[in-house]
């Protein structure tokens, strides 16, 4: 994360540190050929200037490797959220 933050700062030195926002998303895919990476989990990180949405850097398709326990935990969180979403329709 620190490396990505430094990359953003090098590309946008005019942006005040207090005006920087970060968003992370974890994607799960059972189709590794679709993502092109050898991990079931993909991390997408977006860093942008809060006062100007046009100043943004997108760091996506970063493989996220988890332990077996971590993988089970994340999959359970995903399935619990999907179940809640489907039952509340």
């Amino acid at each position: 994360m620190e490396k990505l933050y430094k990359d953003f700062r090098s590309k946008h030195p005019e942006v005040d540190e207090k005006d920087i926002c970060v968003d992370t998303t974890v994607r799960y895919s059972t189709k590794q050929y679709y993502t092109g990476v050898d991990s079931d989990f993909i991390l997408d990180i977006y860093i942008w200037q809060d006062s100007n949405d046009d100043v943004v850097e997108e760091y996506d398709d970063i493989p996220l490797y988890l332990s077996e326990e971590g993988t089970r935990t994340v999959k359970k969180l995903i399935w619990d959220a999907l179940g809640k979403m489907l039952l509340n329709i």
Side-chain angles (χ1 to χ4, degrees):
M1 188 64 198
E2 187 175 317
K3 182 179 171 184
L4 301 181
Y5 182 79
K6 284 181 181 180
D7 181 69
F8 178 86
R9 295 292 295 147
S10 71
K11 292 178 180 175
H12 306 284
E14 74 284 359
V15 177
D16 187 294
E17 285 191 40
K18 296 177 184 174
D19 200 26
I20 295 176
C21 295
V22 177
D23 185 26
T24 59
T25 303
V26 175
R27 290 185 284 136
Y28 173 68
S29 175
T30 58
K31 306 283 187 194
Q32 291 179 4
Y33 64 86
Y34 174 75
T35 60
V37 296
D38 62 350
S39 173
D40 289 342
F41 297 99
I42 307 299
L43 185 62
D44 296 328
I45 299 174
Y46 303 90
I47 303 176
W48 75 95
Q49 181 180 10
D50 191 31
S51 60
N52 183 356
D53 291 342
D54 291 333
V55 179
V56 63
E57 293 297 326
E58 180 178 337
Y59 307 95
D60 57 356
D61 293 335
I62 302 168
L64 180 61
Y65 300 100
L66 301 173
S67 66
E68 283 187 42
E69 182 179 336
T71 298
R72 280 193 302 274
T73 300
V74 172
K75 284 181 178 179
K76 183 175 180 346
L77 289 169
I78 292 169
W79 287 115
D80 288 350
L82 282 172
K84 183 177 180 182
M85 180 185 70
L86 293 173
L87 293 175
N88 287 331
I89 291 180

